[in-house]
Amino acid sequence: MQATVVPGYDAPHPDYRHRSDARRPRTHEHRSMLTAHELTKRYGDRTVVTDLSFTVRPGTVTGFLGPNGAGKSTTMRMILGLDAPTRGHATVGGRSYAAHPAPLTEVGALLEARSVHPGRTAYHHLRALAHTHGISRARVEHVLGLTGLTDVAHRRVKGFSLGMGQRLGIAAALLGDPATVVLDEPVNGLDPEGVLWIRTLLTSLAAEGRTVFVSSHLMSEMALTAEHLVIIGRGRLLADTTVSDFVRDSGAGTTKVVTPEADTLVRLLAAPGVDITTDTPGTLQVRGTDAEHIGRTAAAHGIPLHELTPATASLEEAFMDLTRDAVEYPATLEGAAA
Ligand SMILES: Nc1ncnc2c1ncn2[C@@H]1O[C@H](COP(=O)(O)OP(=O)(O)OP(=O)(O)O)[C@@H](O)[C@H]1O
């Protein structure tokens, strides 16, 4: 496939793959920008991805959201050259994935459970991958540490839990120290500690200047992890926005506060853009500021709070509203009875 080269693109530095976790220079960030341009995929007479265009930038986590069957995996597979688009194209750092001379060091990907030989240990699986790509043993040990697998590195993969398998997939994705990371539903199978770990990992990968593109069907999960959102439904773009704009536009940025000193707190929080309503004495619904500011203000004035709850549930509702018409198999009463 012909490589499309963006202006200003320069070839990777030869030492690039060995520069493990150093913060990437900001001037090189354009290298890892990921773009989808009118991506379209048809299977038979069904179009599952339609005219999808968006850009994923380095330095932030971008969440790729959509209900089950929306076309997230298909889009990611087209970006990674695993599925050919019917129309349109995708580039990473200005080139198609296939045009990169050493793709593993440019793009690290976790798609649905990889085929790992069950009789192999995690260490040998990664060593074999590293060997075929000229990656050092030290890097294998580094990614085992990064994914919390050091203690089980010499156990056979067939004994791994779903979460451990997921960590191994992420270790493989990071093996080439890639500037771009594409992960399909990485929290699947992880326990709460694992979910927290992946959030921290993704945020730190982005803070190092990498492009981080991660799919999920859960808004609540993405709202805690991503800064930017690309939302699709039935293969079409529904929103390309920041999490804070989505929260603001959806009206989900309400915080419930229960306090015996409601009148004093209302006076203290009054500011342009802050809107406070109350239905029940002692219970406030605050918009235009966040729970942290409310908590700090209350603490600074010795006001007891019996409850301080950001309304994350309504964020999920806003996402469901946006995608309702795009859900393939909506949960209905008839459906439940069937
Ligand atoms: N190889 C294929 N042949 C035919 N249809 C397919 C194929 N792969 C995917 N599809 C269909 O394309 C649509 C999008 O699937 P895809 O897996 O991309 O969605 P998704 O958003 O990743 O969903 P999920 O969150 O459930 O993985 C679905 O209706 C799926 O059945």
Side-chain angles (χ1 to χ4, degrees):
M1 198 181 289
Q2 188 71 39
T4 317
V5 180
V6 286
Y9 179 88
D10 31 46
H13 187 279
D15 289 343
Y16 185 64
R17 74 173 79 151
H18 302 296
R19 214 162 19 94
S20 63
D21 290 312
R23 179 176 267 266
R24 277 151 209 278
R26 298 250 148 204
T27 49
H28 288 181
E29 283 180 359
H30 63 273
R31 245 196 222 156
S32 57
M33 198 149 84
L34 187 160
T35 62
H37 182 73
E38 296 178 1
L39 274 183
T40 300
K41 181 70 186 176
R42 214 173 288 136
Y43 285 117
D45 57 1
R46 263 191 80 206
T47 305
V48 298
V49 175
T50 308
D51 266 343
L52 201 53
S53 297
F54 57 83
T55 298
V56 183
R57 295 191 161 74
T60 52
V61 177
T62 298
F64 191 32
L65 269 167
N68 290 124
K72 304 180 295 295
S73 302
T74 305
T75 303
M76 286 181 157
R77 291 176 63 80
M78 288 194 282
I79 291 169
L80 297 167
L82 298 169
D83 260 348
T86 307
R87 207 166 60 73
H89 64 274
T91 60
V92 182
R95 304 176 181 201
S96 70
Y97 180 81
H100 283 287
L104 202 70
T105 65
E106 296 293 333
V107 188
L110 170 81
L111 295 183
E112 73 263 23
R114 274 158 191 266
S115 44
V116 178
H117 192 293
R120 269 205 183 146
T121 67
Y123 178 78
H124 282 115
H125 170 64
L126 293 174
R127 270 293 279 155
L129 257 180
H131 185 68
T132 46
H133 291 84
I135 294 167
S136 71
R137 185 190 296 236
R139 181 70 195 165
V140 170
E141 270 146 27
H142 182 77
V143 295
L144 281 166
L146 204 61
T147 51
L149 291 175
T150 305
D151 289 349
V152 295
H154 296 286
R155 277 212 234 151
R156 285 182 207 287
V157 171
K158 68 178 167 202
F160 274 20
S161 66
L162 198 57
M164 283 155 77
Q166 200 74 339
R167 283 172 187 258
L168 181 58
I170 292 167
L174 298 179
L175 199 56
D177 193 14
T180 301
V181 180
V182 175
L183 306 175
D184 197 4
E185 302 264 3
V187 304
N188 271 1
L190 294 181
D191 57 14
E193 188 210 339
V195 172
L196 193 61
W197 163 76
I198 197 125
R199 261 185 224 147
T200 314
L201 175 74
L202 295 178
T203 313
S204 62
L205 290 172
E208 287 163 8
R210 297 175 213 251
T211 297
V212 181
F213 189 47
V214 48
S215 79
S216 175
H217 58 279
L218 293 175
M219 181 64 176
S220 46
E221 179 50 45
M222 280 296 101
L224 293 170
T225 313
E227 244 177 85
H228 199 92
L229 299 173
V230 172
I231 306 177
I232 64 168
R234 285 195 194 272
R236 290 178 188 272
L237 188 71
L238 297 178
D240 183 348
T241 183
T242 62
V243 171
S244 50
D245 282 356
F246 187 81
V247 169
R248 197 197 54 226
D249 296 347
S250 68
T254 305
T255 304
K256 182 184 175 192
V257 184
V258 180
T259 170
E261 296 180 33
D263 291 348
T264 315
L265 188 61
V266 168
R267 258 198 326 275
L268 290 167
L269 291 174
V274 176
D275 176 39
I276 306 176
T277 55
T278 178
D279 296 331
T280 318
T283 299
L284 307 173
Q285 299 290 346
V286 184
R287 293 176 69 170
T289 187
D290 59 12
E292 186 183 337
H293 175 69
I294 299 167
R296 282 184 189 281
T297 306
H301 294 84
I303 296 174
L305 296 183
H306 298 172
E307 189 179 332
L308 180 67
T309 316
T312 46
S314 59
L315 194 61
E316 196 70 48
E317 281 160 21
F319 169 61
M320 282 160 81
D321 275 353
L322 180 69
T323 57
R324 182 155 292 132
D325 294 340
V327 175
E328 254 199 336
Y329 308 106
T332 59
L333 286 177
E334 300 92 78

